[in-house]
PDB file of all heavy atoms in Angstrom:
ATOM      1  N   ASP A 101      34.158  -0.310  10.167  1.00  0.00           N
ATOM      2  CA  ASP A 101      33.901  -1.695  10.640  1.00  0.00           C
ATOM      3  C   ASP A 101      32.554  -1.856  11.139  1.00  0.00           C
ATOM      4  O   ASP A 101      31.950  -3.046  11.255  1.00  0.00           O
ATOM      5  CB  ASP A 101      34.986  -1.989  11.661  1.00  0.00           C
ATOM      6  CG  ASP A 101      36.389  -1.908  11.002  1.00  0.00           C
ATOM      7  OD1 ASP A 101      36.466  -2.391   9.851  1.00  0.00           O
ATOM      8  OD2 ASP A 101      37.353  -1.561  11.676  1.00  0.00           O
ATOM      9  N   VAL A 110      14.703  16.053  14.748  1.00  0.00           N
ATOM     10  CA  VAL A 110      13.477  15.778  14.211  1.00  0.00           C
ATOM     11  C   VAL A 110      12.750  17.024  13.711  1.00  0.00           C
ATOM     12  O   VAL A 110      11.989  17.081  12.745  1.00  0.00           O
ATOM     13  CB  VAL A 110      12.510  14.922  15.128  1.00  0.00           C
ATOM     14  CG1 VAL A 110      13.043  13.524  15.210  1.00  0.00           C
ATOM     15  CG2 VAL A 110      12.376  15.577  16.455  1.00  0.00           C
ATOM     16  N   VAL A 131      25.883  24.235   1.360  1.00  0.00           N
ATOM     17  CA  VAL A 131      24.764  23.295   1.726  1.00  0.00           C
ATOM     18  C   VAL A 131      24.710  22.201   0.611  1.00  0.00           C
ATOM     19  O   VAL A 131      24.736  22.493  -0.642  1.00  0.00           O
ATOM     20  CB  VAL A 131      23.434  24.153   1.822  1.00  0.00           C
ATOM     21  CG1 VAL A 131      22.252  23.157   1.814  1.00  0.00           C
ATOM     22  CG2 VAL A 131      23.550  24.968   3.048  1.00  0.00           C
ATOM     23  N   LYS A 146      13.452  -4.074  19.957  1.00  0.00           N
ATOM     24  CA  LYS A 146      14.802  -4.129  20.739  1.00  0.00           C
ATOM     25  C   LYS A 146      15.378  -5.497  20.482  1.00  0.00           C
ATOM     26  O   LYS A 146      14.718  -6.512  20.453  1.00  0.00           O
ATOM     27  CB  LYS A 146      14.607  -3.796  22.189  1.00  0.00           C
ATOM     28  CG  LYS A 146      15.845  -3.669  22.843  1.00  0.00           C
ATOM     29  CD  LYS A 146      15.593  -3.457  24.359  1.00  0.00           C
ATOM     30  CE  LYS A 146      17.019  -3.353  25.162  1.00  0.00           C
ATOM     31  NZ  LYS A 146      16.734  -2.952  26.587  1.00  0.00           N
ATOM     32  N   ARG A 173      32.045  20.051   9.035  1.00  0.00           N
ATOM     33  CA  ARG A 173      33.489  19.770   8.960  1.00  0.00           C
ATOM     34  C   ARG A 173      34.334  20.732   9.729  1.00  0.00           C
ATOM     35  O   ARG A 173      35.370  20.286  10.498  1.00  0.00           O
ATOM     36  CB  ARG A 173      34.081  19.681   7.523  1.00  0.00           C
ATOM     37  CG  ARG A 173      33.427  18.630   6.658  1.00  0.00           C
ATOM     38  CD  ARG A 173      34.071  18.499   5.361  1.00  0.00           C
ATOM     39  NE  ARG A 173      33.837  19.725   4.493  1.00  0.00           N
ATOM     40  CZ  ARG A 173      34.081  19.744   3.162  1.00  0.00           C
ATOM     41  NH1 ARG A 173      34.552  18.672   2.556  1.00  0.00           N
ATOM     42  NH2 ARG A 173      33.817  20.773   2.382  1.00  0.00           N
ATOM     43  N   GLY A 183      25.819  20.484  11.547  1.00  0.00           N
ATOM     44  CA  GLY A 183      25.649  20.777  10.163  1.00  0.00           C
ATOM     45  C   GLY A 183      24.539  20.192   9.475  1.00  0.00           C
ATOM     46  O   GLY A 183      24.065  20.501   8.333  1.00  0.00           O
ATOM     47  N   ASN A 215      17.909  20.634 -10.459  1.00  0.00           N
ATOM     48  CA  ASN A 215      17.396  21.310 -11.664  1.00  0.00           C
ATOM     49  C   ASN A 215      17.321  20.180 -12.730  1.00  0.00           C
ATOM     50  O   ASN A 215      16.626  19.201 -12.422  1.00  0.00           O
ATOM     51  CB  ASN A 215      18.287  22.469 -12.078  1.00  0.00           C
ATOM     52  CG  ASN A 215      18.386  23.492 -10.906  1.00  0.00           C
ATOM     53  OD1 ASN A 215      17.393  23.668 -10.164  1.00  0.00           O
ATOM     54  ND2 ASN A 215      19.523  24.143 -10.709  1.00  0.00           N
ATOM     55  N   LEU A 234      21.469  -2.933   9.578  1.00  0.00           N
ATOM     56  CA  LEU A 234      21.342  -1.796  10.388  1.00  0.00           C
ATOM     57  C   LEU A 234      20.285  -1.810  11.369  1.00  0.00           C
ATOM     58  O   LEU A 234      20.523  -1.337  12.580  1.00  0.00           O
ATOM     59  CB  LEU A 234      20.801  -0.593   9.395  1.00  0.00           C
ATOM     60  CG  LEU A 234      21.966  -0.163   8.367  1.00  0.00           C
ATOM     61  CD1 LEU A 234      21.366   0.902   7.395  1.00  0.00           C
ATOM     62  CD2 LEU A 234      23.206   0.441   9.129  1.00  0.00           C
ATOM     63  N   THR A 242      19.003  -1.214  22.627  1.00  0.00           N
ATOM     64  CA  THR A 242      18.493   0.019  22.345  1.00  0.00           C
ATOM     65  C   THR A 242      17.088  -0.094  21.740  1.00  0.00           C
ATOM     66  O   THR A 242      16.886  -0.714  20.728  1.00  0.00           O
ATOM     67  CB  THR A 242      19.288   0.834  21.364  1.00  0.00           C
ATOM     68  OG1 THR A 242      20.702   0.843  21.793  1.00  0.00           O
ATOM     69  CG2 THR A 242      18.948   2.227  21.207  1.00  0.00           C
ATOM     70  N   LEU A 244      14.027   0.832  19.733  1.00  0.00           N
ATOM     71  CA  LEU A 244      13.650   1.586  18.658  1.00  0.00           C
ATOM     72  C   LEU A 244      12.120   1.874  18.672  1.00  0.00           C
ATOM     73  O   LEU A 244      11.308   0.977  18.433  1.00  0.00           O
ATOM     74  CB  LEU A 244      14.045   0.928  17.234  1.00  0.00           C
ATOM     75  CG  LEU A 244      15.538   0.719  17.023  1.00  0.00           C
ATOM     76  CD1 LEU A 244      15.751   0.099  15.673  1.00  0.00           C
ATOM     77  CD2 LEU A 244      16.269   2.074  17.051  1.00  0.00           C
ATOM     78  N   PRO A 255      24.652   7.557  -1.637  1.00  0.00           N
ATOM     79  CA  PRO A 255      25.731   7.020  -2.373  1.00  0.00           C
ATOM     80  C   PRO A 255      26.666   8.167  -2.938  1.00  0.00           C
ATOM     81  O   PRO A 255      26.447   9.374  -2.505  1.00  0.00           O
ATOM     82  CB  PRO A 255      24.927   6.484  -3.670  1.00  0.00           C
ATOM     83  CG  PRO A 255      23.585   7.234  -3.650  1.00  0.00           C
ATOM     84  CD  PRO A 255      23.348   7.546  -2.331  1.00  0.00           C
TER      85      PRO A 255
END
Side-chain angles (χ1 to χ4, degrees):
D101 296 325
V110 290
V131 175
K146 182 176 178 180
R173 296 186 296 189
N215 307 328
L234 289 175
T242 308
L244 296 182

